[in-house]
Amino acid sequence: MGFMVECSYLVFIDERPVLIFCPQGMEKTVAPYENIYPNMVIIGDSFDVENVKIVNPQTLQNLDDGFDVYATQAFNAPDGRVLSVGWAGLPELAYPTDAEGWAHCLSLVRELRIQDNRLYQQPVAEHQALRQTQTSVQGTLAARQAVVANTTNCYEFEVNLPADSQGTLSFFADEQNNHKLALHFDTKNGKIILD
C-alpha cells in the first residue's frame, strides 16, 4: 500500500463493509491508477468485529478514475444512505488557478450503492432542488447547434445516447469551437471521455 494510507473510512451499505482510503506511494502493479494518490475501495461480504477484519474482500479497485479526485470522505446520512464527498485536486501539483489565488474544490456529494456486487456513485437527489429552468432537446443536434446562449450560470446535463453511436458534445465552446469542454461518447464500446 505504499508509504502511507490516508483518509480511510469504513461504511456499511446494505450491511456490507466498504472501505475507502487513499494509499500514497502504492505501486501501480498493485492496482492501476492515473493520479499521484489514488482513491481506492474494497468491498466485503461482511465485517468480523472480533478480529476487525473484512470478510471475503473483493479486489482493490479505484473509487474514481482520472487524475484529480482524492481524499473521499464517506458517512451515513440520518436516513441511512451512504454519502461521500471527494477533494478535486491533489497536493504537490501545480494548477492553472494557482495564479488566481485558489486551487481545488470539493466534488458533488454522491450517494453510494452496491448493485450487482459493484459500487455505484450518483449525485445525491438533493441537488435537484438547485435546478431552476430546464431546456429539453430531443432528436439529433446539428453540428455546432447552440442549445443555450452564453451565460455565466452552471448546468446539470442529462443525456440519453442511442446504442451504437459515437460523437462529441461541446460545452462552453467559443464561436469557432476551438476552445471547449468536449464530451466524447462511444456507446459501441461503452466509453465516455471528458476533455
Side-chain angles (χ1 to χ4, degrees), residues 126-190:
E126 287 83 353
H127 289 296
Q128 294 175 7
L130 301 174
R131 296 175 180 165
Q132 295 175 8
T133 59
Q134 178 178 336
T135 302
S136 296
V137 177
Q138 293 189 3
T140 303
L141 290 176
R144 296 180 62 180
Q145 176 185 348
V147 177
V148 178
N150 289 340
T151 180
T152 57
N153 206 340
C154 20
Y155 301 93
E156 177 184 19
F157 180 72
E158 182 178 336
V159 62
N160 294 314
L161 301 168
D164 297 324
S165 63
Q166 297 172 318
T168 300
L169 298 171
S170 300
F171 300 93
F172 309 107
D174 63 6
E175 289 290 327
Q176 296 75 33
N177 204 31
N178 292 328
H179 302 284
K180 61 188 172 263
L181 178 64
L183 179 70
H184 307 281
F185 61 89
D186 177 354
T187 60
K188 290 179 184 180
N189 297 301

Side-chain angles (χ1 to χ4, degrees), residues 3-71:
F3 59 85
M4 179 169 48
V5 173
E6 283 194 314
C7 306
S8 54
Y9 288 85
L10 179 64
V11 291
F12 292 85
I13 302 173
D14 300 327
E15 299 183 25
R16 294 183 65 186
V18 177
L19 179 64
I20 297 171
F21 60 100
C22 294
Q24 292 190 3
M26 183 178 75
E27 295 292 328
K28 292 187 178 185
T29 54
V30 175
Y33 60 93
E34 297 296 322
N35 55 5
I36 61 173
Y37 303 134
N39 249 351
M40 304 303 286
V41 63
I42 295 174
I43 302 171
D45 288 340
S46 62
F47 189 75
D48 180 348
V49 176
E50 283 188 28
N51 297 303
V52 190
K53 182 178 178 181
I54 295 175
V55 177
N56 195 24
Q58 292 181 354
T59 305
L60 182 66
Q61 298 174 25
N62 279 301
L63 178 65
D64 295 287
D65 288 326
F67 54 87
D68 262 342
V69 180
Y70 173 70

